[in-house]
Amino acid sequence: MEKRICEACHTATEDTFLTVGEHENICLECATKMANEAKAENRELEITDENGDAWFLCTWCEELFPESELRKEADLGHLCDRCIAAIHSRGERLSLEY
């Protein structure tokens, strides 16, 4: 895979590149940071990959995932499989939407 330059941090990487709001060619690390900043400010931020698929933060671990890898929980919002397993291991119940 060819290395590309992130428009935010100007680092060369082979990571997945995302479009964050109006910014294109953003590496996953910078996109995660931007998404967490928007979350802290209660702002909506649209994040998509090169195929136009939406990406969201996992509510629990605050990492970015494509929407296809997340499940929606009635009270918590988007959760990744790892966090779902962790919540279940604590004996808590989830109301997952499929």
Side-chain angles (χ1 to χ4, degrees), residues 27-37 57 62-64:
C27 70
L28 186 57
E29 183 177 335
C30 289
T32 301
K33 181 180 175 184
M34 294 166 87
N36 278 306
E37 288 170 357
L57 285 174
E62 297 184 337
E63 291 184 37
L64 269 180

Side-chain angles (χ1 to χ4, degrees), residues 8 18-21 23 26-48 55-59 62-65:
L18 303 168
T19 298
V20 181
H23 305 284
I26 304 296
C27 70
L28 186 57
E29 183 177 335
C30 289
T32 301
K33 181 180 175 184
M34 294 166 87
N36 278 306
E37 288 170 357
K39 179 182 175 185
E41 297 169 0
N42 292 320
R43 288 187 291 121
E44 291 288 324
L45 189 60
E46 183 179 341
I47 302 172
T48 57
W55 285 55
F56 295 97
L57 285 174
C58 170
T59 304
E62 297 184 337
E63 291 184 37
L64 269 180
F65 292 92

Side-chain angles (χ1 to χ4, degrees), residues 5-93:
I5 305 293
C6 171
E7 290 183 14
C9 66
H10 307 289
T11 302
T13 182
E14 293 179 359
D15 274 350
T16 299
F17 275 78
L18 303 168
T19 298
V20 181
E22 297 177 6
H23 305 284
E24 295 181 0
N25 298 318
I26 304 296
C27 70
L28 186 57
E29 183 177 335
C30 289
T32 301
K33 181 180 175 184
M34 294 166 87
N36 278 306
E37 288 170 357
K39 179 182 175 185
E41 297 169 0
N42 292 320
R43 288 187 291 121
E44 291 288 324
L45 189 60
E46 183 179 341
I47 302 172
T48 57
D49 62 19
E50 295 170 340
N51 298 321
D53 296 327
W55 285 55
F56 295 97
L57 285 174
C58 170
T59 304
W60 227 49
C61 69
E62 297 184 337
E63 291 184 37
L64 269 180
F65 292 92
E67 185 175 28
S68 62
E69 292 183 22
L70 297 170
R71 299 289 169 256
K72 186 93 172 186
E73 202 280 333
D75 296 321
L76 297 175
H78 293 99
L79 295 173
C80 68
D81 289 339
R82 183 179 58 212
C83 289
I84 290 170
I87 293 168
H88 278 298
S89 74
R90 294 171 47 165
E92 296 181 38
R93 299 183 71 151

